[in-house]
Amino acid sequence: MPLLQALPATVWLPLAAAQDATLNRRDARALDLFEDLPPAAAAAAASRASRTGAGHDDTDLYGEQEILTRPDRWKPWSVSASLSGEWQSNAPLAPQNETSDYVWRQSLTLGNTWKLSDSWYLNAGATEETSRYDRFDVLDFDRLDGDAGVLWITKPDWHPLLANWVLGTGVSWSRLSEASHFSNELLNNTAITWALARSFILHPHQSLLVSLTGKVSVDSSEILAQRDEYAAQLAWRAEWSPHWETTVLARLAYYDYEQHADLNWIGSLGMDYLISRNFRIGLNASWTENKSDIAVFDYQNAALGASLRLQFRF
């Protein structure tokens, strides 16, 4: 008998839903993809934007020119905290009998990107996150993530099709535990990761990010939740003013589990308002659809949410 059928649904379905719920939310936030680009890639983007936008003054570039003209003030450390609330049409990610619920999340992230040269960087970071549902408290959990890796940026004077690509590889670790009980572990997983990404400037205030990512699990405490992930993402970002910006994301991923395989599609639309350089509020709408070769893992989920985010670099 397959292991999935031998275990009661009360054991593995909440764990699967908890794992997917937090990953779907992160993957639906396109803005994080742009912010994760190394400073050299951002500077190259600013340079192209400033040349394209001849006739605009520095304020029209909404901060991009600042990155270009003051590279010596690059700040490698970042600390961010966020608080968000979200309505979900299918909180338990069920294949049928969908039930809506509200979830509240808070997170704290610390990261550093060490510059070794103009092309090579080392990066490391850690994130702690809590999720609390209004009715489905069985889905409440705490999550701790850590990652470390190396990044290489192709040179800006290479052929236009090859220049300014970011290639990265590293190791990631994640741990899910019962809500407010860190010692009660639900899942831990270690994976080897890789990524290939590039940001294309469409206009001084618009850019398009193309990325391919992979994550191969090498160790997991729960064989049912262990999976390899391969994803392609396309994200568009527009800055309408020094305070308003919009992001649109499309993501297609393949999840390879021990006993089943899934195709996961996410589409999202986000609008952020920058209150200051360090503080922003955001609205986000997303649609997630998961198709599996085991029907119990099929689901669709619509989400609407709002967030507050505070970030400092030093």
Side-chain angles (χ1 to χ4, degrees):
M1 177 183 295
L3 186 56
L4 273 176
Q5 298 177 15
L7 284 177
T10 54
V11 173
W12 51 268
L13 279 181
L15 177 59
Q19 181 186 26
D20 270 17
T22 182
L23 294 178
N24 289 344
R25 182 194 63 82
R26 293 182 184 182
D27 293 335
R29 183 172 167 80
L31 184 60
D32 292 341
L33 299 176
F34 291 93
E35 293 180 345
D36 285 343
L37 285 178
S47 176
R48 292 192 303 275
S50 63
R51 291 195 300 269
T52 304
H56 294 271
D57 60 23
D58 287 353
T59 59
D60 283 341
L61 293 176
Y62 307 150
E64 289 179 333
Q65 193 73 356
E66 180 179 4
I67 299 173
L68 179 64
T69 57
R70 295 207 297 265
D72 56 316
R73 297 188 184 183
W74 168 48
K75 301 175 181 180
W77 287 95
S78 66
V79 178
S80 63
S82 68
L83 178 65
S84 65
E86 185 178 74
W87 171 85
Q88 297 182 354
S89 65
N90 183 16
L93 304 182
Q96 53 189 355
N97 300 322
E98 299 179 0
T99 305
S100 63
D101 199 2
Y102 295 91
V103 58
W104 310 97
R105 294 188 176 95
Q106 59 183 19
S107 68
L108 178 65
T109 299
L110 173 65
N112 190 307
T113 302
W114 292 273
K115 181 179 180 181
L116 303 179
S117 70
D118 288 340
S119 297
W120 290 95
Y121 296 80
L122 294 177
N123 71 312
T127 299
E128 185 276 337
E129 180 180 271
T130 64
S131 297
R132 300 293 184 268
Y133 286 79
D134 184 38
R135 290 185 294 165
F136 286 96
D137 56 1
V138 69
L139 298 178
D140 292 352
F141 63 93
D142 297 339
R143 182 184 179 102
L144 180 63
D145 292 271
D147 64 85
V150 60
L151 301 172
W152 176 58
I153 305 174
T154 60
K155 295 185 180 298
D157 56 356
W158 285 10
H159 187 279
L161 294 179
L162 300 176
N164 298 312
W165 283 92
V166 180
L167 294 85
T169 186
V171 178
S172 69
W173 175 82
S174 60
R175 183 182 190 273
L176 269 67
S177 58
E178 290 186 12
S180 303
H181 293 86
F182 184 81
S183 61
N184 295 339
E185 180 182 283
L186 299 174
L187 168 71
N188 74 66
N189 184 74
T190 303
I192 303 297
T193 63
W194 59 265
L196 174 65
R198 182 179 173 182
S199 180
F200 296 88
I201 302 302
L202 308 177
H203 181 272
H205 313 312
Q206 296 182 30
S207 56
L208 183 69
L209 181 68
V210 178
S211 66
L212 298 173
T213 59
K215 180 183 291 186
V216 178
S217 177
V218 295
D219 183 64
S220 179
S221 62
E222 295 290 341
I223 190 65
L224 294 180
Q226 186 175 15
R227 72 187 185 193
D228 299 335
E229 306 177 19
Y230 308 95
Q233 300 169 108
L234 191 65
W236 172 76
R237 179 184 185 181
E239 296 174 312
W240 306 110
S241 77
H243 296 285
W244 288 100
E245 59 188 46
T246 299
T247 53
V248 179
L249 169 77
R251 178 181 186 269
L252 179 64
Y254 175 75
Y255 298 153
D256 185 14
Y257 291 86
E258 179 72 17
Q259 297 194 5
H260 64 100
D262 298 3
L263 277 177
N264 183 276
W265 183 84
I266 296 175
S268 72
L269 170 65
M271 175 70 75
D272 277 45
Y273 179 77
L274 283 71
I275 298 176
S276 68
R277 180 181 297 272
N278 305 113
F279 187 45
R280 69 173 65 223
I281 60 176
L283 298 174
N284 192 78
S286 66
W287 172 263
T288 304
E289 185 165 354
N290 199 77
K291 292 295 184 181
S292 176
D293 53 15
I294 294 181
V296 73
F297 291 107
D298 290 346
Y299 65 81
Q300 296 177 338
N301 186 38
L304 296 172
S307 64
L308 301 174
R309 186 178 186 186
L310 187 65
Q311 183 177 42
F312 295 95
R313 295 186 180 276
F314 55 95

